[in-house]
Amino acid sequence: MILTAHPLQRIGAYALACLAGIERPDGAAGLPDPHGLDVAGFEAAVAAMTEDAVRAALVRDTKTAVGFFLKCSLSFFPNSKMNHHSNAKRSDDEIAERVRAWRKPRPPMQSGSGVVGCVLCSQPAAGFFGKADVPLAESDLYRNTTPRGHEGMALCWACLCCFYALPYGSWLTGGPSIAVHSWDEDFLASTVAAQVRLTRQVVEIGSAAARALQAREVLALRALRGHQHELTAGVELLVYGNNNRGPVLEVYGLDHALAEWLRRTSQRSGLRRGFRALLRAHRTAREPGYVGLARNAFRSPQRIPGACAAWLATAVLRSGCAERGDEAVALAGLCFDYADKVMLMDKDDLDEIRATGRRIATLLRGETSSGRLREFYARFKDSGRLRSWLQRSAVEWLGRPRDGQDGPLVSTRGFALLFDPDFDNPAWFHRQMLLVAVTEELFRQGWRPEAGSDDGTEELPELDVQDNEFVGDAGRDER
């Protein structure tokens, strides 16, 4: 089996190896090996998929629980022999014969100019295929690049069967399906293997085995949490459908640095406390924290430190949150690790932000109420107001000596990092990290506002059962 540059073909190739039971010979137990897929294993996997298609076609009704796989086939192979509307009037034997003929092995075809090559792997093509066989292939009715009725895409039998196996490597919803892809072969192999086990249950039982997914991005976050080895590439989340009502393709990506950071922080025992706080920072009244984290990671990675900074500020403003000190410090540590590993922030710049945060915390800890800190936090929404607050506080800082007073409140370099509008200076991110640094230092010093001064501060959400299960669902801890 040749792995090509087509992500869906690659997912299908690993799914085929899973169905054939072909595993790697290098001791990586349970990981499928498409390269080791021999003729016998390939034919056995194709035969199993054909019989699954026959059973689904014989159900006829997509609205029943056992017809769930047939319903899903409409988004993979519309108008195929498996789900054609004429099946309602056909006998079981006739439907079975038509489906098996559709999935029958096809030899290489010949053309007037010789052998036609597969567009994916260059092996001799078995024919031209389109919408009924290849997800996301455009219907011949809407193409102007080929003659009417020409299916368009030359594929060899092996690559075609990879597309037939694609549903097994995807999360089935009855509508657009979801797949996780990566150019890290170990990660892709383990992710597809886990998905094939779940999808086989759906194929056998129907919708009773289909589990709800609160957000499509959670699928990739769970895969990262379960992977035990360092990633060598980023991760893609593919949401796709081939229904006649209109094809769908949405691609969300995690770059390598962010994907590895999420994998590492969710697994290592030394980071477990910080990861719990990371989920807590993303929890809302409607959704568990891991859903918010997954969405931010794929759609708005810059919101991750922002959510953490907001949670830390709220926690320190609550008079009864002294018991969260260790958790808050651990979360702040994760934020600085994010700045280093994901944002690739210069170490000297990060040290300058942390030093500025420590000095501001020293200024604020002399207050017994939360009013001064609340004012500082409120001004983060407006960089101009925050700059004015810092300038005013810098004069106050110089007017009275304090323990730990080692220089100006904010250095010239610190002001540039926080407010310089230059395109190469992410001032918004530096301001978020400043808030993290201030709250981290206040927690380290054990500061807390006097009782009753936290009126109006929102309650901190607790982790729900799903979040606790997610935290406790890790595999082997890394150190």
Side-chain angles (χ1 to χ4, degrees):
M1 177 64 65
I2 298 175
L3 294 177
T4 72
H6 196 302
L8 299 182
Q9 186 270 351
R10 286 165 49 81
I11 294 170
Y14 277 101
L16 264 179
C18 287
L19 294 172
I22 304 298
E23 298 181 359
R24 292 185 181 179
D26 58 3
L31 291 185
D33 181 22
H35 297 293
L37 188 57
D38 56 17
V39 174
F42 176 80
E43 291 179 348
V46 172
M49 291 192 299
T50 300
E51 293 310 305
D52 287 342
V54 169
R55 283 196 301 272
L58 293 178
V59 174
R60 295 181 177 86
D61 188 357
T62 60
K63 297 181 181 180
T64 63
V66 293
F68 183 70
F69 189 54
L70 179 62
K71 178 182 180 180
C72 294
S73 73
L74 294 169
S75 290
F76 287 93
F77 317 113
N79 301 331
S80 68
K81 300 298 188 292
M82 179 180 178
N83 51 47
H84 199 274
H85 60 84
S86 64
N87 284 353
K89 300 178 180 179
R90 299 182 186 275
S91 67
D92 287 359
D93 291 341
E94 190 175 4
I95 292 175
E97 181 181 355
R98 285 166 57 85
V99 172
R100 292 190 178 104
W102 170 46
R103 294 291 182 90
K104 182 180 179 180
R106 308 185 191 190
M109 67 177 181
Q110 298 287 333
S111 71
S113 58
V115 177
V116 178
C118 173
V119 297
L120 297 182
C121 69
S122 299
Q123 297 296 307
F128 294 101
F129 303 93
K131 191 174 179 67
D133 297 277
V134 183
L136 298 180
E138 190 174 37
S139 170
D140 66 285
L141 299 178
Y142 301 100
R143 285 198 308 266
N144 60 7
T145 55
T146 58
R148 180 62 60 86
H150 190 295
E151 295 296 337
M153 194 169 185
L155 293 173
C156 67
W157 177 239
C159 286
L160 179 62
C161 287
C162 289
F163 289 115
Y164 289 156
L166 180 60
Y168 296 87
S170 304
W171 184 281
L172 305 180
T173 68
S177 298
I178 308 168
V180 178
H181 176 261
S182 175
W183 298 103
D184 182 320
E185 302 298 339
D186 287 347
F187 176 77
L188 182 59
S190 62
T191 300
V192 173
Q195 187 59 59
V196 169
R197 289 191 291 269
L198 294 174
T199 304
R200 288 306 300 269
Q201 298 176 18
V202 174
V203 173
E204 295 290 336
I205 303 174
S207 60
R211 296 186 296 177
L213 197 64
Q214 287 183 284
R216 55 189 59 166
E217 296 86 356
V218 170
L219 191 65
L221 185 61
R222 287 191 181 278
L224 286 170
R225 182 159 176 72
H227 190 59
Q228 301 297 333
H229 305 287
E230 183 176 351
L231 292 171
T232 60
V235 174
E236 293 176 316
L237 187 70
L238 308 174
V239 182
Y240 64 96
N242 200 34
N243 197 287
N244 283 330
R245 296 178 180 177
V248 174
L249 175 62
E250 298 176 24
V251 181
Y252 305 93
L254 287 181
D255 62 29
H256 177 214
L258 179 54
E260 175 58 20
W261 184 82
L262 285 170
R263 186 200 68 82
R264 180 168 49 86
T265 56
S266 67
Q267 285 189 358
R268 291 187 178 179
S269 58
L271 301 176
R272 185 68 54 82
R273 186 189 296 271
F275 185 71
R276 289 181 64 89
L278 182 64
L279 295 184
R280 200 190 302 276
H282 285 84
R283 172 155 172 69
T284 66
R286 294 184 176 183
E287 293 180 332
Y290 68 86
V291 173
L293 175 61
R295 282 185 175 145
N296 278 349
F298 275 95
R299 300 183 183 224
S300 303
Q302 69 275 11
R303 291 186 177 181
I304 292 177
C308 295
W311 185 88
L312 287 167
T314 303
V316 78
L317 285 169
R318 296 292 303 177
S319 62
C321 289
E323 71 277 4
R324 298 192 190 277
D326 292 342
E327 189 177 45
V329 170
L331 178 58
L334 277 187
C335 289
F336 288 112
D337 188 59
Y338 182 94
D340 177 32
K341 300 297 194 304
V342 179
M343 298 296 292
L344 303 179
M345 188 173 174
D346 183 81
K347 183 179 183 301
D348 291 339
D349 291 346
L350 191 57
D351 290 343
E352 181 65 36
I353 293 294
R354 297 190 83 163
T356 302
R358 284 194 293 270
R359 290 192 289 268
I360 293 175
T362 300
L363 177 69
L364 294 174
R365 73 180 180 184
E367 303 289 332
T368 58
S369 70
S370 62
R372 188 76 179 275
L373 176 60
R374 194 185 304 279
E375 180 188 9
F376 172 69
Y377 178 41
R379 291 176 181 253
F380 267 84
K381 298 178 181 179
D382 185 328
S383 61
R385 295 180 64 204
L386 177 62
R387 183 171 57 249
S388 298
W389 188 93
L390 288 174
Q391 290 171 335
R392 199 168 56 250
S393 298
V395 176
E396 177 187 344
W397 172 259
L398 294 175
R400 180 164 60 90
R402 296 173 178 79
D403 293 337
Q405 189 167 343
D406 57 356
L409 184 67
V410 186
S411 67
T412 302
R413 177 59 182 158
F415 257 103
L417 290 172
L418 294 172
F419 302 110
D420 189 345
D422 189 276
F423 180 78
D424 294 328
N425 179 58
W428 59 270
F429 178 72
H430 296 157
R431 291 193 291 271
Q432 288 179 343
M433 297 310 299
L434 175 64
L435 182 56
V436 171
V438 171
T439 53
E440 177 192 34
E441 187 63 20
L442 289 174
F443 273 110
R444 286 187 186 279
Q445 295 176 4
W447 180 86
R448 58 184 298 179
E450 63 185 8
S453 67
D454 63 334
D455 294 339
T457 304
E458 61 182 296
E459 293 287 345
L460 290 168
E462 297 293 334
L463 294 184
D464 65 1
V465 174
Q466 292 174 305
D467 278 326
N468 284 318
E469 289 178 350
F470 192 85
V471 173
D473 196 27
R476 182 176 66 253
D477 281 336
E478 288 188 352
R479 290 173 175 81

